Amino acid sequence: SFFLSILLCAAAFGADGQLDRATLKGLKAINIVIDPIDSELQHEGIDPDFLRASVQAKLERAGIPVDKNAVEFLGLRVAGAQGKRMPVALCLSLGLYQGVVLTRDRGVRTATETWSVDSVASAQPKAVKDAAADLLDDLVNRFVSAYRSVNAR
């Protein structure tokens, strides 16, 4: 349920270490994928098209090419939970997914998350959209920083 999603997100620590950042080296372009967003969160103003456009604009301003045909993609997950007369708990997770091949069996190919960051916040229902936008800005800034740390401008 929603509460489990929030707890799992809060327990996640992301993967933004040196090895994780090394997996970003040499990326030529990335696609953007927004996971389906719960209808309750959409009712509070969290719009997947807005989120996608926001991520794309930030990446393009940072000089990171966005290509809808790229195999590698930046994936965004948004989860939320709210109790009666309580603020909405939000969790946003941003991860870079790319194709990998198993070293023990070169015939096995899959896509996996090689870099990620997460963030959690609480907001009153009328402020959920703004809180999500703030969290997203922070997560995308962290991706840009990680990308730039291993790729020349």
Side-chain angles (χ1 to χ4, degrees):
S1 80
F2 284 124
F3 286 110
L4 182 58
S5 297
I6 294 301
L7 289 174
L8 290 175
C9 182
F13 49 85
D16 186 25
Q18 185 176 3
L19 182 58
D20 307 302
R21 287 179 174 217
T23 69
L24 305 177
K25 187 174 178 121
L27 286 173
K28 303 295 182 214
I30 57 174
N31 194 355
I32 300 166
V33 174
I34 310 296
D35 280 358
I37 296 174
D38 184 79
S39 61
E40 290 177 33
L41 290 174
Q42 287 189 42
H43 183 263
E44 297 296 342
I46 298 179
D47 176 33
D49 294 331
F50 170 80
L51 296 175
R52 180 181 290 99
S54 179
V55 171
Q56 182 167 342
K58 274 190 123 7
L59 293 176
E60 289 175 345
R61 277 195 305 272
I64 300 172
V66 175
D67 180 352
K68 290 182 180 183
N69 296 315
V71 175
E72 296 85 4
F73 65 92
L74 205 53
L76 176 67
R77 287 183 307 274
V78 179
Q82 181 181 20
K84 291 186 180 190
R85 292 187 287 267
M86 295 187 67
V88 177
L90 281 176
C91 175
L92 272 67
S93 301
L94 188 69
L96 191 282
Y97 292 79
Q98 50 192 319
V100 296
V101 177
L102 294 181
T103 56
R104 70 177 178 278
D105 183 349
R106 297 266 184 219
V108 177
R109 298 173 184 268
T110 189
T112 193
E113 187 178 76
T114 61
W115 176 93
S116 67
V117 288
D118 308 297
S119 195
V120 178
S122 177
Q124 292 301 321
K126 291 182 180 183
V128 167
K129 180 179 178 181
D130 292 338
D134 290 345
L135 289 177
L136 182 61
D137 283 346
D138 176 60
L139 294 177
V140 175
N141 287 339
R142 290 163 64 187
F143 175 76
V144 168
S145 176
Y147 178 90
R148 286 183 175 162
S149 74
V150 295
N151 290 288
R153 272 188 132 178

